[in-house]
Amino acid sequence: MTPRTAPLESHLRDRRDAGRKLLVPYVTGGMGPDWIEAVHAVADAGADAVEIGIPFSDPMIDGPTIQEASLRALQRGTTPTSVLDALARSDLAVPLCVMTYYNIVFRAGLRRFARSLADAGVAGAIIPDLPLEECGEWCVEADAAGIATVLLVAPSTPPARAGAICERSRGFVYGVGVMGVTGERAALAATASDVAKMVRTVTDRPVCIGIGVSTPDQAAQACVEADGVVVGSAIVRRLLDGHGPEGAGEFVASLRAGIDDATA
Amino acid sequence: MSSLMGEPSATGRFGEFGGRFVPESLMPACLELEVAFRAAWADPAFHAEFTAILRDYGGRPTPVTECRRLSERLGVRVLLKREDLAHTGSHKLNNVIGQTLLARRMGKGRLIAETGAGQHGVAAATAAALFGMNCVVYMGEVDTERQELNVFRMELLGAEVRPVRGGSRTLKDAVNEALRDWVANVADTHYCLGSVMGPHPYPWMVRELQRVVGDEARQQCRALLDGQDPDWVVACIGGGSNAAGTFAGFVDTGAVLVGVEAAGGAAVGRGVPGVVHGMMSYVLQDEVGQIAEAHSISAGLDYPGIGPEHAHLSSIGRTRYEQAGDDEVLAAFRLLSETEGIIPALEPAHALAWLAREAGRSVPAGATVLVTLSGRGDKDVAQVRELLR
């Protein structure tokens, strides 16, 4: 089984258990004509999985950078199908996880959407506005299609609730690093470590910290407690600013180096 | 008796609609809010304070006015529930007083709100001033332009108005931005949502806080109608708070309940089930699920969704949802002004426009019709002058 089609969780667990910290870069699907090249570039720069955003008109957990990328993608006529078709055609060496909002999933139909992800070779899904209480019907379809549903634990999540979330999460647990929307921050919030610690007490699933992880130093710092990081806005901003796939790849390589140097 | 307009399910569902589709960061706050509201709403001291403020500060009860000249013109007996006479000029104060008391009870000193036409923003700013709280109001940039006076009004009341430049720059984007603020500041901030929408418990809580409109109107109608209820009860709907409050008072009577949407923002009329702003409801959207932009002369009805309880009431056939277009709304705005000396807000002018069209047709001649006049038209006078030129 190639890493692309291996279950997301066993792939990430194997790497973690081998002593590697996990790096999951994010790119908004369709944000520019060369977005798929950007996905390849970040995948090849040391990623352990790549998160692809399927753009939504009302991205309420996203800050200005990913809002702008989503808007550009939609203005270019990007649809869930166009993103998944491009992913299906691409030959990537690491597993893919899509991130989108629930209305996109619900409108397509849960079973149809889950199958379309599997058909495109996608391994996981992050749906941030589908919390534990609402995710049951989707998870049935996702499980049946072999799609890992990654759930989120936030700094505001009480420990008992975190246990239930981690129990239901697949692939990894997305630890929200800071109370707020996606976007770069000047410093890593103290809550990032707190969330990672809390998740570790309730599960042995890999935990990756996302939201507010913006630099190699911050990534390394988050990886002290966590198994890895998700980095989105810092990459997307570089793409919006015209640094291209090459610039995005270089930045992801610097994240990889920052993490590896600190753990060496 | 059915549990129509009772409590939603434990997860906040009205039938298949409602729920709590929010990021995990906000789930604990939604759960906390539900617990706090449940406790407050069961507490006689909370009700006593709420009622006293609405009476002594808000001017309640608002009257029901019999419209003699309009009735003669339309051939039906028209009664108006006069929310335009409440403090701040609309029904919105009921909800914000309730939520501000709740915020204080929860120890949260900062209020945030979204607003479309500005009525809810003005009400929230008013309540914040009354209780000495900080208040930030998110308002789409398009709406700050067409409701310039309300922006100034909010600023006079000490609130900060933040124009929202994302998306369609109207109410739906203001809700997104308020939710984003709430995620970042939930520890000390209460999101004072302005309508019967959003994640549970808001649709239920806001309806309960607004039911004073319907409860008063029912008693007042009985006094006017020799113990009878009106045949028809009509209210405009954007998110649907004045309609929900009104319908709550009449859902167990024989009255036909009608909600009137803006033709360009008719979530029930033209939407399909979907999830936005934390709720499952009818939503205007395209074939892949991107949320559509609503278009209406009225900023307050420029919203692509509708409260989930309305979606439920529609799906089971208890309420009817109709539409009114911009032109007939302008005509109704003039009609009420000229026949009754009452300048309505553009939002309830939708309810009047529908009635003006249907009186003597689907609403039989001689029927008794209660219309909730959810707000006064002062805020719209400048815009209407431009439109009529």
Side-chain angles (χ1 to χ4, degrees), chain B residues 221-282:
Chain B
C221 284
R222 288 195 167 174
L224 277 167
L225 305 173
D226 296 326
Q228 300 298 301
D229 298 313
D231 304 312
W232 296 70
V233 173
V234 186
C236 65
I237 296 203
S241 71
N242 90 82
T246 303
F247 294 169
F250 293 93
V251 72
D252 60 351
T253 73
V256 181
L257 308 180
V258 182
V260 183
E261 301 185 281
V268 173
R270 300 178 185 188
V272 294
V275 174
V276 71
H277 296 151
M279 63 181 173
M280 180 166 297
S281 190
Y282 290 120

Short mmCIF file of all heavy atoms in Angstrom, two decimals, chain B residues 221-282:
data_model
loop_
_atom_site.label_atom_id
_atom_site.label_comp_id
_atom_site.label_asym_id
_atom_site.label_seq_id
_atom_site.Cartn_x
_atom_site.Cartn_y
_atom_site.Cartn_z
N CYS B 221 -55.93 41.38 21.76
CA CYS B 221 -56.90 41.04 20.71
C CYS B 221 -58.19 40.53 21.35
O CYS B 221 -59.29 40.88 20.93
CB CYS B 221 -56.34 39.99 19.76
SG CYS B 221 -55.14 40.65 18.60
N ARG B 222 -58.04 39.71 22.38
CA ARG B 222 -59.25 39.17 23.02
C ARG B 222 -60.09 40.28 23.64
O ARG B 222 -61.32 40.23 23.59
CB ARG B 222 -58.86 38.13 24.07
CG ARG B 222 -58.38 36.87 23.38
CD ARG B 222 -58.31 35.68 24.29
NE ARG B 222 -58.15 34.49 23.43
CZ ARG B 222 -57.93 33.27 23.88
NH1 ARG B 222 -57.87 33.04 25.17
NH2 ARG B 222 -57.80 32.26 23.03
N ALA B 223 -59.41 41.29 24.17
CA ALA B 223 -60.14 42.42 24.73
C ALA B 223 -60.88 43.18 23.63
O ALA B 223 -62.01 43.64 23.81
CB ALA B 223 -59.18 43.34 25.48
N LEU B 224 -60.24 43.30 22.47
CA LEU B 224 -60.84 44.05 21.37
C LEU B 224 -61.89 43.24 20.63
O LEU B 224 -62.81 43.80 20.04
CB LEU B 224 -59.75 44.42 20.35
CG LEU B 224 -58.90 45.64 20.61
CD1 LEU B 224 -57.71 45.64 19.67
CD2 LEU B 224 -59.73 46.90 20.42
N LEU B 225 -61.73 41.92 20.62
CA LEU B 225 -62.56 41.07 19.76
C LEU B 225 -63.53 40.22 20.57
O LEU B 225 -63.86 39.11 20.16
CB LEU B 225 -61.66 40.18 18.89
CG LEU B 225 -60.59 40.87 18.03
CD1 LEU B 225 -59.67 39.85 17.37
CD2 LEU B 225 -61.26 41.75 16.97
N ASP B 226 -63.97 40.74 21.70
CA ASP B 226 -64.94 40.02 22.53
C ASP B 226 -64.51 38.58 22.83
O ASP B 226 -65.28 37.63 22.65
CB ASP B 226 -66.32 39.99 21.85
CG ASP B 226 -66.88 41.39 21.70
OD1 ASP B 226 -66.62 42.21 22.61
OD2 ASP B 226 -67.55 41.66 20.69
N GLY B 227 -63.27 38.46 23.22
CA GLY B 227 -62.80 37.13 23.62
C GLY B 227 -62.35 36.24 22.46
O GLY B 227 -61.94 35.11 22.68
N GLN B 228 -62.43 36.77 21.25
CA GLN B 228 -62.02 35.98 20.09
C GLN B 228 -60.55 36.25 19.72
O GLN B 228 -59.99 37.28 20.09
CB GLN B 228 -62.90 36.33 18.88
CG GLN B 228 -64.37 36.06 19.10
CD GLN B 228 -64.67 34.59 19.36
OE1 GLN B 228 -64.36 33.74 18.53
NE2 GLN B 228 -65.23 34.29 20.52
N ASP B 229 -60.01 35.33 18.95
CA ASP B 229 -58.67 35.53 18.39
C ASP B 229 -58.81 36.04 16.96
O ASP B 229 -59.83 35.80 16.31
CB ASP B 229 -57.90 34.20 18.38
CG ASP B 229 -57.70 33.65 19.78
OD1 ASP B 229 -57.28 34.43 20.66
OD2 ASP B 229 -57.97 32.45 19.99
N PRO B 230 -57.79 36.72 16.45
CA PRO B 230 -57.86 37.14 15.05
C PRO B 230 -57.89 35.92 14.13
O PRO B 230 -57.44 34.85 14.50
CB PRO B 230 -56.58 37.97 14.85
CG PRO B 230 -55.69 37.64 16.00
CD PRO B 230 -56.55 37.15 17.11
N ASP B 231 -58.40 36.12 12.91
CA ASP B 231 -58.45 35.01 11.94
C ASP B 231 -57.06 34.78 11.33
O ASP B 231 -56.72 33.66 10.98
CB ASP B 231 -59.43 35.33 10.81
CG ASP B 231 -60.82 35.65 11.33
OD1 ASP B 231 -61.31 34.86 12.18
OD2 ASP B 231 -61.39 36.69 10.95
N TRP B 232 -56.32 35.87 11.18
CA TRP B 232 -55.01 35.79 10.55
C TRP B 232 -54.00 36.55 11.41
O TRP B 232 -54.34 37.58 11.99
CB TRP B 232 -55.02 36.44 9.15
CG TRP B 232 -55.90 35.73 8.16
CD1 TRP B 232 -57.27 35.68 8.19
CD2 TRP B 232 -55.48 34.96 7.03
NE1 TRP B 232 -57.73 34.93 7.13
CE2 TRP B 232 -56.65 34.47 6.40
CE3 TRP B 232 -54.24 34.65 6.48
CZ2 TRP B 232 -56.60 33.69 5.25
CZ3 TRP B 232 -54.20 33.87 5.33
CH2 TRP B 232 -55.36 33.39 4.73
N VAL B 233 -52.81 36.04 11.48
CA VAL B 233 -51.72 36.72 12.19
C VAL B 233 -50.53 36.78 11.24
O VAL B 233 -50.08 35.73 10.75
CB VAL B 233 -51.35 35.98 13.49
CG1 VAL B 233 -50.10 36.60 14.14
CG2 VAL B 233 -52.52 36.00 14.47
N VAL B 234 -50.06 38.00 10.96
CA VAL B 234 -49.07 38.17 9.90
C VAL B 234 -47.86 38.93 10.43
O VAL B 234 -48.01 39.92 11.16
CB VAL B 234 -49.69 38.97 8.71
CG1 VAL B 234 -48.71 39.04 7.54
CG2 VAL B 234 -51.01 38.36 8.28
N ALA B 235 -46.67 38.48 10.07
CA ALA B 235 -45.44 39.18 10.48
C ALA B 235 -44.39 39.00 9.39
O ALA B 235 -44.39 38.00 8.67
CB ALA B 235 -44.92 38.62 11.81
N CYS B 236 -43.47 39.96 9.30
CA CYS B 236 -42.38 39.84 8.34
C CYS B 236 -41.29 38.92 8.90
O CYS B 236 -41.20 38.73 10.10
CB CYS B 236 -41.79 41.21 8.03
SG CYS B 236 -40.97 41.99 9.44
N ILE B 237 -40.49 38.39 7.99
CA ILE B 237 -39.44 37.45 8.42
C ILE B 237 -38.13 37.71 7.69
O ILE B 237 -38.09 37.70 6.46
CB ILE B 237 -39.85 35.99 8.14
CG1 ILE B 237 -41.08 35.65 8.97
CG2 ILE B 237 -38.71 35.04 8.46
CD1 ILE B 237 -41.26 34.19 9.22
N GLY B 238 -37.08 37.95 8.46
CA GLY B 238 -35.72 37.91 7.92
C GLY B 238 -35.12 36.65 8.53
O GLY B 238 -35.18 35.56 7.99
N GLY B 239 -34.55 36.81 9.74
CA GLY B 239 -34.20 35.63 10.55
C GLY B 239 -35.47 35.10 11.18
O GLY B 239 -35.67 33.89 11.34
N GLY B 240 -36.36 36.04 11.58
CA GLY B 240 -37.68 35.65 12.02
C GLY B 240 -38.01 35.87 13.49
O GLY B 240 -38.88 35.19 14.02
N SER B 241 -37.37 36.86 14.15
CA SER B 241 -37.62 36.96 15.59
C SER B 241 -38.96 37.59 15.93
O SER B 241 -39.62 37.15 16.86
CB SER B 241 -36.48 37.68 16.31
OG SER B 241 -36.44 39.05 16.02
N ASN B 242 -39.38 38.62 15.18
CA ASN B 242 -40.68 39.20 15.56
C ASN B 242 -41.80 38.24 15.20
O ASN B 242 -42.80 38.15 15.92
CB ASN B 242 -40.85 40.61 14.97
CG ASN B 242 -41.49 40.67 13.60
OD1 ASN B 242 -42.70 40.62 13.49
ND2 ASN B 242 -40.68 40.77 12.55
N ALA B 243 -41.61 37.50 14.11
CA ALA B 243 -42.62 36.51 13.73
C ALA B 243 -42.67 35.39 14.76
O ALA B 243 -43.76 34.95 15.16
CB ALA B 243 -42.33 35.95 12.35
N ALA B 244 -41.51 34.92 15.20
CA ALA B 244 -41.49 33.84 16.19
C ALA B 244 -42.15 34.28 17.48
O ALA B 244 -42.94 33.54 18.07
CB ALA B 244 -40.05 33.39 16.45
N GLY B 245 -41.83 35.50 17.94
CA GLY B 245 -42.44 36.02 19.15
C GLY B 245 -43.94 36.16 19.00
O GLY B 245 -44.71 35.85 19.92
N THR B 246 -44.37 36.63 17.86
CA THR B 246 -45.80 36.80 17.59
C THR B 246 -46.49 35.45 17.51
O THR B 246 -47.52 35.20 18.18
CB THR B 246 -46.02 37.56 16.27
OG1 THR B 246 -45.34 38.82 16.34
CG2 THR B 246 -47.50 37.80 16.01
N PHE B 247 -45.93 34.55 16.71
CA PHE B 247 -46.58 33.24 16.51
C PHE B 247 -46.67 32.46 17.83
O PHE B 247 -47.61 31.69 18.03
CB PHE B 247 -45.80 32.40 15.48
CG PHE B 247 -45.82 32.95 14.07
CD1 PHE B 247 -44.98 32.41 13.10
CD2 PHE B 247 -46.66 33.99 13.71
CE1 PHE B 247 -45.00 32.90 11.79
CE2 PHE B 247 -46.68 34.50 12.40
CZ PHE B 247 -45.84 33.95 11.45
N ALA B 248 -45.68 32.64 18.70
CA ALA B 248 -45.69 31.91 19.97
C ALA B 248 -46.97 32.18 20.75
O ALA B 248 -47.46 31.32 21.47
CB ALA B 248 -44.46 32.27 20.81
N GLY B 249 -47.52 33.39 20.59
CA GLY B 249 -48.75 33.73 21.30
C GLY B 249 -50.01 33.19 20.65
O GLY B 249 -51.09 33.20 21.25
N PHE B 250 -49.91 32.74 19.40
CA PHE B 250 -51.11 32.35 18.65
C PHE B 250 -51.07 30.93 18.09
O PHE B 250 -52.00 30.51 17.43
CB PHE B 250 -51.35 33.34 17.50
CG PHE B 250 -51.72 34.72 17.98
CD1 PHE B 250 -50.75 35.69 18.17
CD2 PHE B 250 -53.05 35.03 18.26
CE1 PHE B 250 -51.10 36.96 18.62
CE2 PHE B 250 -53.40 36.30 18.72
CZ PHE B 250 -52.42 37.27 18.90
N VAL B 251 -49.94 30.24 18.31
CA VAL B 251 -49.78 28.94 17.64
C VAL B 251 -50.85 27.94 18.06
O VAL B 251 -51.21 27.05 17.29
CB VAL B 251 -48.35 28.39 17.86
CG1 VAL B 251 -48.15 27.91 19.30
CG2 VAL B 251 -48.00 27.31 16.86
N ASP B 252 -51.38 28.11 19.28
CA ASP B 252 -52.41 27.17 19.72
C ASP B 252 -53.83 27.74 19.54
O ASP B 252 -54.77 27.24 20.12
CB ASP B 252 -52.17 26.74 21.17
CG ASP B 252 -52.19 27.93 22.13
OD1 ASP B 252 -52.22 29.09 21.65
OD2 ASP B 252 -52.18 27.70 23.35
N THR B 253 -53.98 28.78 18.74
CA THR B 253 -55.32 29.28 18.38
C THR B 253 -55.62 28.80 16.97
O THR B 253 -54.80 28.18 16.31
CB THR B 253 -55.38 30.82 18.39
OG1 THR B 253 -54.66 31.33 17.26
CG2 THR B 253 -54.80 31.39 19.68
N GLY B 254 -56.78 29.16 16.50
CA GLY B 254 -57.15 28.77 15.14
C GLY B 254 -56.65 29.71 14.07
O GLY B 254 -56.94 29.54 12.89
N ALA B 255 -55.90 30.73 14.48
CA ALA B 255 -55.47 31.74 13.52
C ALA B 255 -54.55 31.15 12.45
O ALA B 255 -53.73 30.29 12.74
CB ALA B 255 -54.75 32.88 14.24
N VAL B 256 -54.71 31.64 11.22
CA VAL B 256 -53.77 31.30 10.16
C VAL B 256 -52.52 32.16 10.39
O VAL B 256 -52.63 33.39 10.51
CB VAL B 256 -54.35 31.61 8.76
CG1 VAL B 256 -53.34 31.23 7.67
CG2 VAL B 256 -55.68 30.91 8.57
N LEU B 257 -51.36 31.53 10.48
CA LEU B 257 -50.11 32.26 10.75
C LEU B 257 -49.35 32.44 9.44
O LEU B 257 -49.11 31.46 8.72
CB LEU B 257 -49.25 31.50 11.75
CG LEU B 257 -49.93 31.08 13.07
CD1 LEU B 257 -48.93 30.32 13.96
CD2 LEU B 257 -50.48 32.30 13.81
N VAL B 258 -48.99 33.69 9.14
CA VAL B 258 -48.32 33.97 7.88
C VAL B 258 -47.03 34.75 8.14
O VAL B 258 -47.06 35.81 8.77
CB VAL B 258 -49.22 34.80 6.93
CG1 VAL B 258 -48.50 35.05 5.59
CG2 VAL B 258 -50.55 34.11 6.71
N GLY B 259 -45.92 34.23 7.66
CA GLY B 259 -44.66 34.96 7.69
C GLY B 259 -44.36 35.48 6.29
O GLY B 259 -44.50 34.74 5.32
N VAL B 260 -43.99 36.74 6.19
CA VAL B 260 -43.75 37.32 4.87
C VAL B 260 -42.26 37.61 4.70
O VAL B 260 -41.68 38.41 5.43
CB VAL B 260 -44.58 38.59 4.65
CG1 VAL B 260 -44.37 39.12 3.22
CG2 VAL B 260 -46.06 38.33 4.91
N GLU B 261 -41.66 36.93 3.73
CA GLU B 261 -40.24 37.11 3.43
C GLU B 261 -40.08 38.13 2.31
O GLU B 261 -40.99 38.33 1.50
CB GLU B 261 -39.63 35.78 2.96
CG GLU B 261 -39.73 34.65 3.96
CD GLU B 261 -38.99 33.40 3.48
OE1 GLU B 261 -39.53 32.66 2.63
OE2 GLU B 261 -37.86 33.18 3.93
N ALA B 262 -38.90 38.72 2.25
CA ALA B 262 -38.56 39.54 1.09
C ALA B 262 -38.39 38.60 -0.10
O ALA B 262 -37.76 37.55 0.02
CB ALA B 262 -37.26 40.31 1.34
N ALA B 263 -38.95 38.99 -1.26
CA ALA B 263 -38.88 38.09 -2.42
C ALA B 263 -37.43 37.74 -2.76
O ALA B 263 -37.14 36.64 -3.19
CB ALA B 263 -39.57 38.75 -3.61
N GLY B 264 -36.52 38.68 -2.52
CA GLY B 264 -35.11 38.42 -2.85
C GLY B 264 -34.35 37.73 -1.74
O GLY B 264 -33.14 37.51 -1.85
N GLY B 265 -35.03 37.41 -0.65
CA GLY B 265 -34.34 36.75 0.46
C GLY B 265 -35.20 35.67 1.05
O GLY B 265 -35.19 35.41 2.25
N ALA B 266 -35.98 35.00 0.18
CA ALA B 266 -37.00 34.08 0.65
C ALA B 266 -36.43 32.69 0.89
O ALA B 266 -36.43 31.84 0.01
CB ALA B 266 -38.15 34.02 -0.35
N ALA B 267 -35.94 32.47 2.11
CA ALA B 267 -35.28 31.20 2.43
C ALA B 267 -36.26 30.04 2.40
O ALA B 267 -35.93 28.95 1.95
CB ALA B 267 -34.60 31.29 3.79
N VAL B 268 -37.48 30.26 2.89
CA VAL B 268 -38.47 29.19 2.84
C VAL B 268 -38.97 29.03 1.41
O VAL B 268 -39.05 27.92 0.88
CB VAL B 268 -39.66 29.46 3.79
CG1 VAL B 268 -40.74 28.42 3.59
CG2 VAL B 268 -39.19 29.46 5.24
N GLY B 269 -39.25 30.18 0.77
CA GLY B 269 -39.84 30.14 -0.57
C GLY B 269 -38.89 29.57 -1.61
O GLY B 269 -39.31 28.89 -2.53
N ARG B 270 -37.61 29.88 -1.47
CA ARG B 270 -36.68 29.51 -2.54
C ARG B 270 -35.46 28.75 -2.06
O ARG B 270 -34.59 28.39 -2.86
CB ARG B 270 -36.19 30.78 -3.24
CG ARG B 270 -37.33 31.56 -3.86
CD ARG B 270 -36.86 32.85 -4.50
NE ARG B 270 -37.99 33.63 -4.98
CZ ARG B 270 -37.88 34.73 -5.71
NH1 ARG B 270 -36.68 35.18 -6.04
NH2 ARG B 270 -38.95 35.39 -6.09
N GLY B 271 -35.33 28.55 -0.76
CA GLY B 271 -34.14 27.88 -0.24
C GLY B 271 -34.33 26.38 -0.14
O GLY B 271 -35.42 25.86 -0.37
N VAL B 272 -33.25 25.70 0.18
CA VAL B 272 -33.29 24.27 0.43
C VAL B 272 -32.57 24.03 1.76
O VAL B 272 -31.81 24.89 2.21
CB VAL B 272 -32.61 23.45 -0.69
CG1 VAL B 272 -33.38 23.58 -2.00
CG2 VAL B 272 -31.16 23.88 -0.88
N PRO B 273 -32.78 22.87 2.38
CA PRO B 273 -32.10 22.64 3.66
C PRO B 273 -30.58 22.76 3.54
O PRO B 273 -29.99 22.31 2.55
CB PRO B 273 -32.53 21.21 4.02
CG PRO B 273 -33.86 21.06 3.36
CD PRO B 273 -33.73 21.80 2.05
N GLY B 274 -30.01 23.38 4.53
CA GLY B 274 -28.56 23.56 4.53
C GLY B 274 -28.10 23.99 5.91
O GLY B 274 -28.91 24.10 6.84
N VAL B 275 -26.80 24.21 6.04
CA VAL B 275 -26.22 24.57 7.34
C VAL B 275 -25.38 25.82 7.19
O VAL B 275 -24.42 25.85 6.41
CB VAL B 275 -25.34 23.41 7.87
CG1 VAL B 275 -24.62 23.85 9.14
CG2 VAL B 275 -26.18 22.17 8.14
N VAL B 276 -25.76 26.85 7.90
CA VAL B 276 -24.96 28.07 7.93
C VAL B 276 -25.17 28.73 9.28
O VAL B 276 -26.21 28.54 9.91
CB VAL B 276 -25.33 29.02 6.75
CG1 VAL B 276 -26.71 29.65 6.95
CG2 VAL B 276 -24.26 30.09 6.55
N HIS B 277 -24.17 29.44 9.75
CA HIS B 277 -24.27 30.18 11.00
C HIS B 277 -24.72 29.29 12.15
O HIS B 277 -25.50 29.70 13.01
CB HIS B 277 -25.22 31.38 10.86
CG HIS B 277 -24.71 32.39 9.88
ND1 HIS B 277 -25.53 33.22 9.14
CD2 HIS B 277 -23.45 32.70 9.49
CE1 HIS B 277 -24.81 33.99 8.35
NE2 HIS B 277 -23.53 33.70 8.54
N GLY B 278 -24.25 28.05 12.15
CA GLY B 278 -24.48 27.19 13.30
C GLY B 278 -25.79 26.44 13.32
O GLY B 278 -26.08 25.74 14.29
N MET B 279 -26.61 26.59 12.28
CA MET B 279 -27.94 25.96 12.31
C MET B 279 -28.24 25.26 11.00
O MET B 279 -27.76 25.64 9.95
CB MET B 279 -29.02 27.02 12.55
CG MET B 279 -29.09 28.04 11.40
SD MET B 279 -30.33 29.33 11.67
CE MET B 279 -29.98 30.40 10.27
N MET B 280 -29.08 24.22 11.10
CA MET B 280 -29.64 23.63 9.90
C MET B 280 -31.01 24.24 9.68
O MET B 280 -31.85 24.26 10.58
CB MET B 280 -29.77 22.11 10.04
CG MET B 280 -30.36 21.49 8.79
SD MET B 280 -30.17 19.72 8.72
CE MET B 280 -28.41 19.55 8.66
N SER B 281 -31.20 24.78 8.49
CA SER B 281 -32.48 25.41 8.18
C SER B 281 -32.62 25.50 6.67
O SER B 281 -31.81 24.94 5.93
CB SER B 281 -32.56 26.80 8.82
OG SER B 281 -33.87 27.32 8.71
N TYR B 282 -33.63 26.22 6.20
CA TYR B 282 -33.70 26.51 4.77
C TYR B 282 -32.72 27.65 4.48
O TYR B 282 -32.68 28.65 5.21
CB TYR B 282 -35.11 26.92 4.36
CG TYR B 282 -36.11 25.80 4.40
CD1 TYR B 282 -37.23 25.88 5.21
CD2 TYR B 282 -35.94 24.66 3.62
CE1 TYR B 282 -38.16 24.85 5.25
CE2 TYR B 282 -36.87 23.62 3.66
CZ TYR B 282 -37.97 23.73 4.47
OH TYR B 282 -38.88 22.71 4.51
#
